[in-house]
Amino acid sequence: MWHVADRAALPGIRSHGLLSARALCALHGVASDDLLRENRLCWRQAGPAMLRRQGMRDVVLRPRLDPAIACPDWRWFINGHVFLFPTEAAALRLRASEPGRDQILLRFTAAYVMGAGLLTCRYNNGFADRRPIATARRRTWSDYQPVEAWAGTQVAELAVPDRIPAHIPFAVEPPG
């Protein structure tokens, strides 16, 4: 399992674990309600931490959400999770989308992360779905299921609520 992070975040990740955007804001005492409910068009400072930009503009997200879910509530939900890619190739695509940033890949072993409450999702809900709205799948809370629920099914993203604790081992690539 893979996560993409700024190299500068590595000391904090080693000290506090890999934190969701919401947990990062709480750790650093950052007023986060607006910050985590609005789409971030650029990287944003949250104390000493940086929050990744998001591609969840209302005009794109609204028709792709379950009608009972408001866009700000979906972002709040998403920002309460740490996201991992099931493949290195998917993580490398995200890293390549930000060529000006010094980003690293963190590689986790599934057996260690499962104890942190690992959830699976068949879809990559973090990226905007560009299919025509008429054929687009509606995102919902139930997209995220415990590992056992998706056994034998293709997984596009993995999520852990709140944080991956600091005691969970990971490797850094490229090292340095």
Side-chain angles (χ1 to χ4, degrees):
M1 292 183 259
W2 304 85
H3 182 82
V4 180
D6 272 4
R7 185 179 300 280
L10 195 51
I13 294 168
R14 286 192 169 124
S15 295
H16 304 288
L18 185 56
L19 305 181
S20 69
R22 197 178 326 154
L24 271 170
C25 288
L27 175 69
H28 298 301
V30 174
S32 62
D33 196 54
D34 288 343
L35 180 63
L36 300 179
R37 290 182 183 276
E38 295 174 357
N39 187 43
R40 293 188 300 273
L41 295 175
C42 60
W43 287 68
R44 298 282 303 273
Q45 197 80 36
M50 293 296 291
L51 301 181
R52 183 175 294 281
R53 65 184 177 87
Q54 293 176 312
M56 293 191 280
R57 295 177 300 127
D58 284 8
V59 68
V60 175
L61 185 59
R62 175 69 265 150
R64 289 165 172 83
L65 277 179
D66 180 291
I69 302 172
C71 292
D73 295 337
W74 182 256
R75 288 188 205 97
W76 180 259
F77 170 77
I78 292 295
N79 282 307
H81 293 80
V82 172
F83 287 90
L84 302 162
F85 291 100
T87 66
E88 182 180 22
L92 288 170
R93 281 192 299 277
L94 177 62
R95 186 174 76 177
S97 73
E98 300 279 356
R101 298 196 75 87
D102 183 14
Q103 295 184 97
I104 53 174
L105 299 184
L106 306 180
R107 182 173 39 88
F108 291 87
T109 301
Y112 292 114
V113 179
M114 287 179 70
L118 183 66
L119 301 171
T120 60
C121 184
R122 294 182 3 198
Y123 318 101
N124 190 333
N125 283 336
F127 288 108
D129 182 351
R130 299 294 181 197
R131 288 178 290 174
I133 291 171
T135 61
R137 177 192 57 80
R138 299 290 185 133
R139 298 171 189 198
T140 182
W141 314 122
S142 63
D143 287 349
Y144 295 90
Q145 296 289 319
V147 173
E148 304 79 37
W150 294 120
T153 303
Q154 181 73 20
V155 171
E157 76 182 2
L158 304 154
V160 175
D162 194 44
R163 72 186 65 227
I164 296 176
H167 71 273
I168 304 281
F170 60 88
V172 178
E173 298 177 13

